[in-house]
Amino acid sequence: MIDPQISEWISQILRWIHVITAIAWIGSSFYFIHLDLSLKKREGLPEGVGGEAWQVHGGGFYNMRKYLVAPPELPKELTWFKWESYSTWISGFFLIVWVYYLHADLYTIDPAVRALAPWQAPAIGIAALVVSWFVYEGLCRSPLGKSGLALGIALFAYILLAAYGFTQVFNGRAAFLHTGAMIATWMSASVFFIIIPNQKKVVATLLAGGSPDPKLGKEAKLRSTHNNYLTLPVIFLMLSNHYPLAWSSRYAVGIIACILIAGAIIRHFFNSQHAGKGSPWWTWGLAAAAIVLAIWLSIIGKPGNANMADASATAAPAAAFEEAALAIQSRCSMCHAAEPVWDGITIAPKGVRLDTPEEIARHAEIIRIQAVLTHAMPPNNITEMTLDERKAVATWLATR
């Protein structure tokens, strides 16, 4: 067993590395999409150059040119953009293993959804990521791949189908996380299996004195475009583990659909702007509508709607607080205390203490979100907090 304090530090360092590498990957990806779309065809460009762009940054000027296939002669040095992608996926995978698989009973398995054994959660999660890549690859290489719109619709439907499948075996938090990890796997695997190998084939052909197949570049461009449009939804899904109002909703799959649409539309705005095709401001209205719909689905789908409806302010405030405090201290303070007694926890999660009446009152709004509006806490209801106890908490909150 690893010391809980060391375990916590490992978790934070893994998350730190993951965020840093993700910033590097997303930054380079967005930059090259912007560069590719902003290239202009001008007179006097060398043969094979599809366009160029002048840029200024850090006090210097840069002249960027793109060859449609490859230059007649390769330079001595080439910069390969690949480790940003690989490092992001590898660090993310280790983070999932460390948090969601080694602590599956807290963060992944919900007996109310599916009573899995601790080893089954990682087996299902990893298998789903692997299988999803083959499905994605098959769709891209199928006749649907000849139509960007048809392929996009098919991928959208598959993501939602997979998300629904995750909600049938994992808790909401893990279902959102695995949906994001699945998409991120497609993105990084595309770099590893398609984009970089195709570029290497082009280089090898040039070194052999041949003429590279333009199809290789087009295939890589398709995957790069997918990565561009999927980035924003993946970021939302990865961050959602901190915000239970989204993943705890009965309409979680609908919320994911809204976020996929909003993220893709926002990227379309910037892509259009970078390409000099104007600024389609209507996209922001549609993206806002999708987000508003996601918020509405989270509100009407939250578990608190069904079993907190009878909570009211009719009870005496003092009596209501006393009953609520008893429920909170008996179900929550074993972790949220100055000296937690739950095995493996040495410091109250997120610094939230609920072991005194004063601390309970101070964290009333956090309690409302985590235990009344959603049932995110206790995680997977591991301390078996009853509906009557949640109603007692809701009644106290109604008297404040």
Side-chain angles (χ1 to χ4, degrees), residues 178-258:
H178 278 80
T179 302
M182 177 187 73
I183 300 173
T185 296
W186 300 353
M187 295 167 67
S188 189
S190 289
V191 176
F192 185 80
F193 291 112
I194 304 299
I195 297 174
I196 294 299
N198 282 15
Q199 290 175 338
K200 288 185 175 180
K201 290 177 183 177
V202 169
V203 171
T205 301
L206 288 171
L207 292 175
S211 179
D213 185 355
K215 180 183 177 181
L216 296 172
K218 293 179 180 179
E219 188 178 42
K221 178 70 179 298
L222 173 66
R223 306 306 178 92
S224 181
T225 300
H226 288 173
N227 288 3
N228 176 43
Y229 279 98
L230 291 171
T231 296
L232 298 185
V234 166
I235 294 174
F236 180 94
L237 292 169
M238 293 307 188
L239 293 176
S240 66
N241 70 93
H242 300 289
Y243 303 97
L245 285 175
W247 55 257
S248 66
S249 172
R250 295 193 303 275
Y251 306 113
V253 176
I255 292 173
I256 291 175
C258 292

Side-chain angles (χ1 to χ4, degrees), residues 310-389:
D310 58 349
S312 66
T314 57
F321 178 73
E322 184 176 346
E323 187 176 357
L326 178 61
I328 293 168
Q329 288 179 327
S330 63
R331 304 298 183 183
C332 308
S333 63
M334 59 279 295
C335 296
H336 292 280
E339 296 182 2
V341 297
W342 193 272
D343 186 36
I345 295 179
T346 58
I347 300 175
K350 297 188 177 180
V352 175
R353 288 176 48 191
L354 302 173
D355 51 351
T356 67
E358 294 75 18
E359 290 290 345
I360 291 173
R362 188 163 75 91
H363 294 102
E365 291 309 311
I366 294 176
I367 294 170
R368 186 194 304 275
I369 292 175
Q370 299 288 340
V372 177
L373 296 181
T374 71
H375 293 180
M377 291 290 161
N380 299 331
N381 204 23
I382 198 166
T383 60
E384 299 181 353
M385 190 175 194
T386 67
L387 292 181
D388 286 339
E389 288 172 325

Side-chain angles (χ1 to χ4, degrees), residues 101 118-128:
Y101 294 161
W119 66 267
Q120 290 177 311
I124 293 172
I126 294 172

